[in-house]
Structures are given as structure tokens and as C-alpha cells.
Amino acid sequence: PKYGLALDNLRAAEMVMADGTVVPTSAADNPDLFWGIRGGGGNFGVAASFEYDLHEVGPAITGGVVVHPFARAFDVLRLFRDTCASLPDEGMLVAALQTAPDGSNAKIAAIAGAHCGPLADGESAFRSLKAFGPPVMDVMGPIPYATLNGMLDGAFPRNARNYWKAQFLTDLSDDAIRTLIEGFEDCPSPMSAIMVEHFHGAASRVPVSATACAMRVTGFNVVIASQWLSPEDTERGISWARETFASLTPYLASTRYVNYLEDDAPNPEAMAYGPNLPRLIDVKTKYDPENFFRQNVNIRPR
């Protein structure tokens, strides 16, 4: 449920190239380009049409969030880690250290999730999350799938200023959890948060070389989402994200999610595409030799 649906279920696409021509792509038509667009980050053209397989979901699934006081953050993140170890493919979980949205400025620890299988299975998968604590707020239960997709929209208002840092961890160890908590204790803005996303399931079992997407991993991705409104807070917001990220250095793996790469990341294309980068450069050189499509994590042609 977390990622890989569109690129793994893509059957075919028509791509508008830099010169305006329309190129069909599929496993049979221009298969090198078809390989590249499944994770290549818009480096080759614009999809004019596409076909992909769908999975029936809902309309009601099990999802929502449970919230705990920040004082219990260490135990909450350990619960999150341990629950993820046995999570079925139909489920996904995200933990967050954030500020309560009620204006109290109280820091909280939360676990949000979704289970897209039968409601009874979702209830069973998330039972331990609801029993722990008890939480100060529990809105985990049956919910329309469409409602879940918009649940966090209010946390990311228009016109907010953002600077994000993100990378996978080698493991969500107790020491890494303590470092995350210490970093959030110094968070300067109530709009900012630290999120830990769990990646797993069918998309993680696809071979890395099968598509351009190299993020075929099971593990935890840390997102330091620094966010503020006033231009005067820009330096402080960026500094907090960088310093918190630097404190995690002993626990970081090499994998980074392309959608979260910041503009000033060193060698972002190597971080995003890993062992698939040489082949992607070949595809780029063939289909976009002038690098027309470059407003992205750019793969530069030879």
C-alpha cells in the first residue's frame, strides 16, 4: 500500500518526448524506455496516457491514528518498530513526533496506519496499537479509503516554507530512537515533525533491476520535515533539519527516497537510483540527449 503501485502495475504508456513525438512504451514497445519511466522521475518525457492494473480497495478500510504524550515517545516508537516486524502486506504504518494541532503546543508521539484488507483483519493487525498506553486519542478504526488519503492535508498548508531531509536507517534501534527524540525536543516550529515510515510488502520483493526504482527495501525511512511560515524563521528551520539529520549519521543506510531529496543534496541521482543509474544514463542519452527534462532529480545524458 505504501509505494510501487503505479510503477509496478503499469502496463503501457504513451510518452511525449522533447521533440513533441509520441512514443509508445510497454514490455514489447521500446522496453528500455518502459523500464526507465517506472521510477525514473520524469527524466524522459511526459506521460500522455497510460494503462495500469487496479486493485479493489474499500470503500471502507481500517485506518487512522493513535496519539500518546511525548513523555512516552520512546515506548511508542519501540511499539511501532515491533508491530512493523509482523505487519501483513495489506498494512502500513507511520510513526510521528509532532506538535498537537489543538494550539496547546504540546509535543506528542503518534502512530498512523492503514490496512486495506478485510475490516476484521485490520482490526486484528492494529489491536496492539489501540491497547497500548492507553492513548490520549484513538481514531483508529473503519474509515473510508478516500478520507484516509486526505487525513494529513491540514498539516501541510499552502504557502508554508519547507526544508526536508530524509534517509533510510540501517535499523530502528533503541539508540536511533533516542536520537530522534532528542532531535525533536529542539524542534523550533510547531509545524515541523519527524516521521518514520515503514516500507515493506510486495513492492519490496521486486528485484532492484526489474524497474528503474531502486528502492526495493524493507525498513524504516526517517523524514525530518521542517516547516514554518515567516521568512524570518528560515535559517532556524533549515538549521534544525540539518542538525537533526547529522545526529542520525551513525544509523543511516545508503537508500534515499527520490521524492524527499532536498535541492542541495550531494549527488542526488546516485542516491536515488543506486545500481540502476548507469542503465538510466543510457536511456536518457538515447531519448533525451539534450537534457530537456531536467527540473527533477536529474539524470544527465552522456
Side-chain angles (χ1 to χ4, degrees), residues 4-61:
L5 175 66
L7 67 91
D8 288 340
N9 288 14
L10 188 66
R11 288 183 177 181
E14 291 182 315
M15 301 298 295
V16 180
M17 313 310 290
D19 61 2
T21 59
V22 178
V23 176
T25 67
S26 67
D29 295 317
N30 300 297
D32 55 346
L33 181 59
F34 185 62
W35 177 87
I37 63 174
R38 288 177 293 161
N43 270 283
F44 311 108
V46 176
S49 67
F50 49 87
E51 300 176 13
Y52 58 91
D53 294 324
L54 294 174
H55 299 286
E56 185 173 350
V57 178
I61 64 166

Side-chain angles (χ1 to χ4, degrees), residues 138-161:
D138 175 4
V139 288
M140 181 81 75
I143 186 175
Y145 180 65
T147 299
L148 181 82
N149 280 337
M151 185 175 68
L152 300 180
D153 288 356
F156 303 98
R158 290 181 179 272
N159 301 318
R161 296 166 183 266

